[in-house]
Amino acid sequence: MTTTTPESTSSPAPSTPTTTTTIYSSRAKFTPGQIVATPGALELLQETGFSAAALISRHLHGDWGDLCDEDRAENDFAVTRRLRILSCYRLVDAARLAATPPDKRSALPTLWIITQADRSVTTLLRPDEY
């Protein structure tokens, strides 16, 4: 659901600028447990300007990022069977991601989010830290 809200409520002018706010459902598919991040993941998030909170929200709501159909299906199965769940996010803009062939995407800045099968811990990490 997307809503627009005024940037400022101090001006009653009818042409008040608006910003778009995306509201995610509050109904996550699973619980994350303790959320931790490796130093490399924190560094990558800072370098790229991506939000850890937004990526975790995507993960918890079933947006698995840049995975093949087979891995997406495995995650969907894992949610109901309490198996490990892995999401893969390429930390680039949508145009760059779309312009990069799937077999070359591993060269893009990448963050994995993994939730353990017992749902005790969710970890943000770079693939080379696995």
Side-chain angles (χ1 to χ4, degrees):
M1 172 203 293
T2 301
T3 61
T4 57
T5 56
E7 288 182 358
S8 171
T9 57
S10 62
S11 172
S15 62
T16 302
T18 59
T19 58
T20 301
T21 303
T22 303
I23 300 172
Y24 293 97
S25 163
S26 62
R27 191 162 174 95
K29 291 183 175 275
F30 57 94
T31 59
Q34 180 182 11
I35 298 172
V36 299
T38 64
L42 295 173
E43 181 180 326
L44 184 60
L45 288 164
Q46 185 162 359
E47 287 173 4
T48 61
F50 276 77
S51 163
L55 295 172
I56 292 166
S57 179
R58 288 176 60 187
H59 176 72
L60 295 176
H61 288 87
D63 173 354
W64 313 124
D66 190 37
L67 293 180
C68 66
D69 290 340
E70 182 178 304
D71 288 341
R72 287 176 185 281
E74 183 66 28
N75 274 352
D76 292 337
F77 179 80
V79 166
T80 61
R81 301 301 192 283
R82 294 186 61 88
L83 300 170
R84 184 194 73 163
I85 301 167
L86 176 135
S87 292
C88 176
Y89 303 105
R90 308 299 180 182
L91 305 188
V92 297
D93 62 66
R96 183 171 173 200
L97 181 61
T100 306
D103 64 331
K104 304 289 186 203
R105 290 182 179 174
S106 63
L108 298 173
T110 300
L111 185 78
W112 284 355
I113 300 181
I114 300 173
T115 299
Q116 296 303 315
D118 66 2
R119 308 297 185 253
S120 62
V121 177
T122 293
T123 305
L124 287 76
L125 70 158
R126 293 184 331 218
D128 64 323
E129 296 177 306
Y130 185 70

